[in-house]
Amino acid sequence: MFESAIKYQAQMWQAIGETFVMVGMSVGAALLLGLPLGTLLFFCRKGQLYENRMMSLVLNSIVNIVRSFPFLLLVVALIPVTRFIVGTAIGTMAATVPLCIVAIAYYSRLVEQSLLEVPKGTIEAALSMGASKLGLVFKFLYVEARSGLVLGLTTSTISFISFSTVMGVVGGGGVGDFAIRYGYQRFETEVMAYAIVVMIVLVQLVQFTGGTLSRLLDKR
């Protein structure tokens, strides 16, 4: 395996860089759009502050459809959308489009679940102190749920890394594509093992970082 690491180090570094781009864009989309979407899902639920059955039904349906769609089929189905957004359906940037859409739906559900763990007394106390809508969300809800939100993002990131391994079908590259092209198709088992070890290290790093940060933020 060590010889394979030396022989293909340039290709592997390129693959790791492509994985970082795809996963990084997905995490960004999850934070920018998945977080507010999950917050909206929480507030629209029955018995919550801004209960809205119709909006809750629509949002939940969209999130459930995206999450239940087989990922590889979703990538293919979104090719026209990908081409419209980035101008091409091939390449690393094109691969980020379906990943970002899945990331938004996936993380929004985890955000909703984290916010449900916040005691209702916290919301009532915030409202009794005259907190605005934004103040309620940013100064009370997110603060109380910060540990769960970080854990949810950690779990999501690991899933995005897993999803990124199949993006070779649209030329997205990444470590998974490296394993298929240089290991599986060339019958080089050591290269496959090398790529798997790299993936395991990446996932362990993400899990360790997220778990540590979550424990530091958890003040309960």
Side-chain angles (χ1 to χ4, degrees):
M1 188 188 300
F2 183 73
E3 291 179 358
S4 299
I6 298 296
K7 181 179 178 182
Y8 293 109
Q9 61 176 324
Q11 292 88 341
M12 177 52 84
W13 280 115
Q14 181 183 349
I16 291 174
E18 291 165 347
T19 296
F20 275 20
V21 170
M22 290 188 285
V23 175
M25 296 282 283
S26 304
V27 171
L31 286 172
L32 289 176
L33 298 175
L35 182 60
L37 177 58
T39 307
L40 194 57
L41 283 167
F42 167 74
F43 276 125
C44 291
R45 286 177 65 96
K46 184 179 180 181
Q48 295 301 333
L49 191 59
Y50 304 111
E51 178 181 336
N52 187 319
R53 294 182 63 181
M54 182 55 68
M55 182 172 286
S56 179
L57 178 65
V58 171
L59 293 178
N60 272 297
S61 298
I62 293 172
V63 169
N64 289 338
I65 288 172
V66 173
R67 291 179 68 232
S68 60
F69 219 103
F71 183 65
L72 197 55
L73 296 181
L74 181 68
V75 172
V76 176
L78 286 175
I79 283 178
V81 178
T82 302
R83 189 177 287 117
F84 175 77
I85 294 175
V86 298
T88 177
I90 303 295
T92 303
M93 290 308 296
T96 62
V97 175
L99 271 172
C100 287
I101 291 174
V102 168
I104 293 166
Y106 194 88
Y107 188 54
S108 66
R109 186 62 77 198
L110 295 179
V111 168
E112 181 193 20
Q113 292 172 1
S114 295
L115 296 181
L116 283 171
E117 294 178 1
V118 177
K120 283 197 171 182
T122 301
I123 298 175
E124 293 169 358
L127 294 175
S128 67
M129 288 187 285
S132 64
K133 293 177 182 177
L134 286 178
L136 170 63
V137 172
F138 286 99
K139 295 181 179 177
F140 291 90
L141 276 179
Y142 287 171
V143 172
E144 285 293 320
R146 58 190 184 278
S147 177
L149 293 174
V150 170
L151 272 183
L153 187 62
T154 302
T155 303
S156 300
T157 303
I158 291 172
S159 297
F160 304 157
I161 292 174
S162 176
F163 290 148
S164 74
T165 59
V166 302
M167 298 315 293
V169 295
V170 292
V175 179
D177 183 51
F178 170 87
I180 294 296
R181 287 193 293 123
Y182 292 95
Y184 177 72
Q185 294 179 349
R186 298 185 184 188
F187 303 102
E188 295 195 38
T189 307
E190 287 190 353
V191 177
M192 286 282 288
Y194 173 40
I196 291 170
V197 169
V198 170
M199 292 295 291
I200 291 173
V201 171
L202 287 177
V203 169
Q204 293 300 317
L205 283 174
V206 171
Q207 184 62 59
F208 175 77
T209 305
T212 303
L213 185 58
S214 175
R215 282 194 298 275
L216 291 174
L217 291 173
D218 190 358
K219 302 300 182 186
R220 291 174 291 182

